[in-house]
Amino acid sequence: MAYSSDYFKGLNYLLNEQQDKAIDVFVQMLEVDSETVETHLALGNLFRRRGEGDRAIRIHQNLIARPTLSKDQRAQALLELGQDYLRAGLLGRAESLFLELIERGLYRLEALEKLLDIYQQEKEWAKAIGAAKRIEHVGGPRMGALIAQFYCEQAGAAREKGDRKSALKFLKLATVVDRNSVRASLMKAEIEQLMGRHKLAIKTLTQIEKQDADFTPEAVPLLLRSYSALGQSAKGERYLRQLLEKHGGMTSLLAVVELVREEQGDAPAAELVIRYLRSRPSVRGLDKLIELQLQSGEGELRENLLILKELVDRLLQEKAPYRCRNCGFESKSLCWHCPGCKQWSSIRPVQGVSGE
Ligand SMILES: [Zn+2]
């Protein structure tokens, strides 16, 4: 490849940080030399990565305006320009470029993946579902778990409008594409409870241990509510004990402990905690044990227990019960879309001494 003197002039401007002049030279060169298209693509890409979106857009727009570009070069430039717009937050412009590529059957998978990104940013869930299904269709990765999250988002919006019927319909679709969607089960059970269908709610909630046992703590309070509404607390306790035996978990233990406490008093409840703590040390378990001992403690013992309780409470307050397994983001409540890394389903209940 022969380098023209303009090329070196441009390079020189670039090296001397006179980037606007450099771009002008490169753009002029493009007028006469379409072989430098690859160089321009690389340059535009570089500017975008450096966060210089305006420069990247200028380069790519100029490329696209060239009549001598081959079909593939033009498509490549469109894809790059779409990404410039996306990066600059010009979502509408980016969307129309990616749609154009898809329509022409060029870079379909890449364009669909970018569209999916746009629709998520815009919370356009129906369109996001469409894009995700097409990604699978053109041979991209499996999207079931992601599509289920989008259906759950739609269900949440319907529920907020008081439209429980539509919400349930979306949740059903979520389970069709991902039968292990814990979020769909939890949301469905909540709606069933609001409708007074407690037997159904229990059936839905007992699926969760098979879907993803780490999430059973989320089901426990809902299960207790439904068993209690049906006047079947004993049955509820039996199920929780089974859960505890199979999967462990502080939330299950503490729920059982409360039920034992109501029926038999503090001493047997404390015994149950101690037995469990011997095999699995847990800050939450210790907290409950102190609380139970406090009831009967007197004088100096009581004073000491109060100091201990304050310490343990502070420890617990500092620990977030949920953490993203992708980026480590810590959260006080369960979110399905990580605010740190924007991944779905990556935030989970924390296991171990300070968690479950
Ligand atoms: Zn994250």
Side-chain angles (χ1 to χ4, degrees), residues 80-245:
E80 294 294 334
L81 184 61
Q83 291 177 76
D84 298 337
Y85 286 149
L86 186 57
R87 180 82 182 257
L90 302 166
L91 301 186
R93 284 197 203 173
E95 181 190 3
S96 47
L97 285 190
F98 294 131
L99 284 172
E100 189 184 329
L101 283 170
I102 293 163
E103 202 171 302
R104 295 192 199 172
L106 299 162
Y107 293 99
R108 267 192 307 178
L109 183 56
E110 289 87 345
L112 281 166
E113 278 171 348
K114 300 295 171 196
L115 274 183
L116 185 62
D117 184 355
I118 292 173
Y119 296 143
Q120 287 181 68
Q121 286 190 44
E122 291 178 329
K123 299 189 190 299
E124 291 265 17
W125 306 117
K127 287 183 179 176
I129 290 166
K133 284 184 174 170
R134 284 188 75 181
I135 287 175
E136 282 190 341
H137 193 68
V138 300
R142 305 288 302 156
M143 290 275 150
L146 192 63
I147 295 172
Q149 289 286 1
F150 298 158
Y151 279 129
C152 288
E153 290 290 335
Q154 287 187 305
R159 190 181 53 185
E160 249 169 57
K161 283 187 220 148
D163 186 355
R164 289 174 188 165
K165 214 175 135 196
S166 297
L168 286 173
K169 217 169 70 190
F170 285 127
L171 293 173
K172 189 157 186 197
L173 290 169
T175 1
V176 170
V177 290
D178 177 17
R179 60 196 180 100
N180 290 326
S181 172
V182 170
R183 185 183 183 187
S185 298
L186 286 169
M187 289 179 81
K188 184 166 176 262
E190 277 167 11
I191 294 173
E192 284 162 347
Q193 286 189 334
L194 288 172
M195 296 166 107
R197 299 175 181 171
H198 289 285
K199 257 179 122 164
L200 265 178
I202 290 171
K203 201 175 156 207
T204 306
L205 291 165
T206 50
Q207 297 298 312
I208 291 177
E209 62 162 321
K210 291 172 214 135
Q211 292 176 317
D212 190 338
D214 286 353
F215 281 89
T216 49
E218 302 304 313
V220 169
L222 294 167
L223 277 166
L224 286 171
R225 192 184 305 157
S226 278
Y227 276 119
S228 158
L230 292 169
Q232 298 179 338
S233 290
K235 209 171 160 187
E237 187 184 328
R238 273 204 300 281
Y239 179 69
L240 290 177
R241 280 183 186 269
Q242 272 176 36
L243 267 187
L244 190 60
E245 213 165 284

Side-chain angles (χ1 to χ4, degrees), residues 323-330 337-344 346-347:
R323 190 184 304 130
C324 172
R325 64 175 167 187
N326 185 48
C327 73
F329 180 89
E330 293 193 337
H337 193 203
C338 177
C341 65
K342 308 286 173 208
Q343 276 228 357
W344 291 89
S346 58
I347 293 185

